[in-house]
Amino acid sequence: MALFQRTSPIKKILAGKITLLLIVSNIAVYLVAGYLDTRAFESLSQTSFLIDWGGNVPALTLSGEYWRLFTSMFLHVGFLHLAINMLALWSLGIILEARMRSWVFLGVYLLSGLCGSLVTALWHRDEFFLSCGASGAILGIFGAAIVYGLHDRRMGRPHIPPGNLLLSLALTFGAGFAFDVDNAAHLGGLLAGALLAGLALCAERLRPVAAAAVLAGAGMIGAAALAVVTLDNHDRDMQQQIAAARFEHTLGKMGLLQSAKAPASALILDACVDRALFEAAQGGSAAPDLRRCIKPGDREQALLATFMPRRYQDCLAQTVELQQLYPDAAARKALAGAEQYCAMQTGIYAALFQEQPVELEVEKALQTRLLMKFLVDGGRKFRTDSAPLQAQANAMQGILRRPGELASAIIGRSGCPYWSCARSR
C-alpha cells in the first residue's frame, strides 16, 4: 500500500507559489473589476460587463479581438463561480506544481487556458456565445495531473492522490453545471494539458539544460500554433459587421439615427446649438452665443458635459477603423465627413461647457453638421443634385445596413444598458 508523505502547510504553500499567484490574480481581477464597474454585481447588466471586460465572445474574438482568449481566463460570472474554480485549482495545483517545475506548471496552465478559449471560439463562431472563467486552464491542469499520475503509478512512486483529482474534477464540472457548461473550453484545455504533460515527462529523461531547451521550444511552438490557427480563422466579414454595428450604435446614442437611443436633454441641447449657429451666421458673427443653451445647475446637462464628449471620441476612433475596413472611395469620403463632424461636435461641447472661449468657425460648423445629417438621412428628408454627395450618402447607408443579426445582437448587449451608466467605466 502506497503511503503519501505528509508535508507542513507552509511547505505546501511554498511549493505551490505559482498556484497561489494564479489564485490571487483571479481574485484581484474580480475585486478590482467589481470596484471599478458596478455592473459586475447587477444581474441585468452582467452580460455587458463581461463583454466589455474581455469575455470570450467568438464573433468578437475571431474578428480581431484576440486578447479575449487570455482575458476571459481571469473573468468570472460571480463569487460562487470564482470560489469553486479557485478551490479546484488549489486542491490540484499545489500537488501538481510540486511534481513539476513551477514555470512548466505555469506554461501548462496558460497554454491550456488559451487552447480552451480558442476551441470555444471556433466551436461557437456562428452564435452569440459568451464564455469566461478559469475552468479551461484548470481542466488543462487536470489533464496533466492524470498523465503524471498514471506515469508515476506505473513507475511505482505515486505522487498525486486520487482524492485530489476527484475533488478538482467535481468542483470544476460543478461550476460548469451551475453556470452553464462550456464543453469546448473543457475539452480543449483537458487535451492540451495532457499533451503538454506528456512532453514534460519526456523532457525529464534529458539533462537539465537540454530539458529546459526542449520545454521552452515546446512552449513557443505551442503558442505559435495557437497564433497561426487564430489568425487563419480571422473573420474579416464579421470584423466589418461589428465595426459598422458599433458605429451605428454610437450614432444612435448621439441622436443621429434612432432619437430614442439618445438622451432627450442631448437632443434639446443640439437643437439650441443649431439655432445659435444659424443666428450667428445670419448676423455675420464669428462667435456664436452657445452658452445661452446652458442652464446652470441642470443635472442632466452636467451629465451630458461628461459623457457626450466620450461618444464623439468613440465616433472619431470608429470612423478611422471603418475607413480601413471599407476602402471604397465614396465610403472613405463619407466616413471622413463623419470624422469631421465628430471632431466639430467635440469642439462645440467644449464651447458649451468650458468657461474659456473656444474658437469655432460658424460656417464650417453649419456645413459639417448639415453634411452629417444628409449622410445618415438615407434620402428621407434631404435631396441633392450632386452625384458625389449622393454616392457618399449611399455608401454611408450601405455601412449602416452592413451589420447582420449576430453583430447587432452582440453590440446591443455590449456597453451599458442605459446611457448614463458610463459613470462606472
Side-chain angles (χ1 to χ4, degrees), residues 254-256 262-277 290 293 301 304 308 312 341 345 348-349 352 369 373:
M254 289 158 48
L256 286 171
S265 54
L267 300 176
I268 294 171
L269 183 59
D270 199 60
C272 182
V273 168
D274 257 341
R275 290 193 298 271
L277 289 173
L290 298 182
C293 299
Q301 286 193 346
L304 292 179
M308 288 304 287
Y312 296 121
Y341 169 82
Q345 285 296 103
I348 286 175
Y349 263 75
L352 282 166
R369 287 163 63 87
K373 291 175 182 178

Side-chain angles (χ1 to χ4, degrees), residues 310-386:
R310 296 185 187 179
R311 303 296 182 202
Y312 296 121
Q313 291 301 315
D314 289 343
C315 174
L316 286 170
Q318 289 162 7
T319 54
V320 171
E321 179 186 8
L322 285 166
Q323 287 179 65
Q324 297 173 349
L325 293 173
Y326 292 85
D328 175 75
R332 290 176 67 88
K333 191 72 174 177
L335 291 166
E339 182 181 1
Q340 187 177 22
Y341 169 82
C342 293
M344 179 65 67
Q345 285 296 103
T346 301
I348 286 175
Y349 263 75
L352 282 166
F353 294 102
Q354 290 182 13
E355 294 184 1
Q356 297 82 3
V358 177
E359 292 186 6
L360 194 65
E361 298 180 41
V362 176
E363 289 293 340
K364 184 178 180 181
L366 282 171
Q367 292 174 9
T368 301
R369 287 163 63 87
L370 182 61
L371 173 62
M372 187 61 180
K373 291 175 182 178
F374 169 73
L375 291 175
V376 301
D377 172 66
R380 293 186 297 273
K381 298 179 181 178
F382 299 97
R383 296 288 189 275
T384 182
D385 294 328
S386 171

Side-chain angles (χ1 to χ4, degrees), residues 237-302:
D237 179 72
M238 181 55 67
Q239 184 181 13
Q240 290 179 328
Q241 291 189 48
I242 291 290
R246 282 202 179 104
F247 184 55
E248 180 188 34
H249 187 73
T250 299
L251 293 183
K253 294 291 186 181
M254 289 158 48
L256 286 171
L257 293 176
Q258 305 93 333
S259 58
K261 287 188 177 181
S265 54
L267 300 176
I268 294 171
L269 183 59
D270 199 60
C272 182
V273 168
D274 257 341
R275 290 193 298 271
L277 289 173
F278 180 76
E279 291 172 6
Q282 291 289 93
S285 173
D289 183 18
L290 298 182
R291 296 281 296 175
R292 76 183 192 191
C293 299
I294 301 302
K295 300 176 182 177
D298 189 293
R299 181 179 178 277
E300 291 189 3
Q301 286 193 346

Side-chain angles (χ1 to χ4, degrees), residues 9 19 64 88 94 131 134 153 168 170 211 273 316 328 391:
T19 300
I94 57 171
S131 174
R153 184 171 295 277
S168 180
V273 168
L316 286 170
D328 175 75

